[in-house]
Amino acid sequence: MTKDVLVAIAGLHYELESEEPIEVITAGQYFCKNEKHYVLYDEILDERNEVCKNRIKIGTDMIEILKSGASNVHMVFELGKKNLTYYNTPFGSLLIGIDTTKIVCSESEEAIELNIEYGLEVNYSHVSDCSITVKVTPKKSTMKVNM
């Protein structure tokens, strides 16, 4: 995998009878250190045009997403474990719980793909079931976003 990559993130939040899709495709940086994969990318938040720096750390049994800037959160996904963290936004802080039910990571020389399913709680109340797919490919390749 090259240092310069494209990062495609697709997610769904399932709430009662509705789905809220999220899709982002952006340029990023990739590196591998101590047998863990790291993906770094910036995201511009719509509301205020502020930058949020993102880091995805992919280990053998844990995925971490760290956001810093306009919003701050350290999300930890571990199969069968609930992790609590504060999600700090310009509008205030929320205590969120992440109850991971599925993690699938496939990697090749040309791509890394993550599929994560989890339950999301806010202030100890279940809000939605969520899924995230992250696909990382070399920037020079043609990326197919079939998620």
Side-chain angles (χ1 to χ4, degrees):
M1 178 83 66
T2 63
K3 179 180 177 184
D4 295 321
V5 294
L6 288 176
V7 182
I9 301 168
L12 278 177
H13 293 256
Y14 303 97
E15 298 179 39
L16 296 177
E17 296 180 14
S18 67
E19 296 179 0
E20 183 182 334
I22 299 168
E23 292 186 75
V24 175
I25 299 175
T26 188
Q29 301 290 310
Y30 164 82
F31 65 94
C32 187
K33 181 179 178 184
N34 297 328
E35 298 182 23
K36 292 180 176 46
H37 301 282
Y38 292 85
V39 179
L40 310 171
Y41 66 95
D42 291 342
E43 182 179 4
I44 298 189
L45 303 178
D46 292 332
E47 310 89 45
R48 303 172 124 190
N49 254 0
E50 293 182 289
V51 174
C52 185
K53 295 195 173 292
N54 295 273
R55 181 187 77 187
I56 301 173
K57 179 180 175 184
I58 305 164
T60 54
D61 57 354
M62 180 186 339
I63 310 293
E64 295 179 61
I65 298 176
L66 182 68
K67 294 179 173 277
S68 61
S71 295
N72 297 289
V73 67
H74 183 187
M75 301 169 70
V76 178
F77 300 92
E78 291 181 276
L79 193 58
K81 292 185 179 180
K82 185 189 300 185
N83 289 291
L84 298 175
T85 189
Y86 281 97
Y87 188 15
N88 300 305
T89 73
F91 309 104
S93 294
L94 299 169
L95 177 63
I96 63 170
I98 299 165
D99 188 7
T100 307
T101 56
K102 178 182 175 183
I103 296 176
V104 176
C105 179
S106 56
E107 49 183 288
S108 68
E109 288 184 25
E110 290 299 313
I112 296 173
E113 188 167 344
L114 297 173
N115 294 296
I116 305 169
E117 293 180 6
Y118 62 98
L120 179 66
E121 294 180 356
V122 175
N123 296 326
Y124 299 105
S125 293
H126 181 77
V127 174
S128 66
D129 292 319
C130 308
S131 67
I132 297 175
T133 299
V134 179
K135 189 168 186 177
V136 181
T137 57
K139 195 171 188 178
K140 293 179 183 175
S141 76
T142 303
M143 184 166 93
K144 295 179 183 176
V145 185
N146 295 328
M147 297 188 181

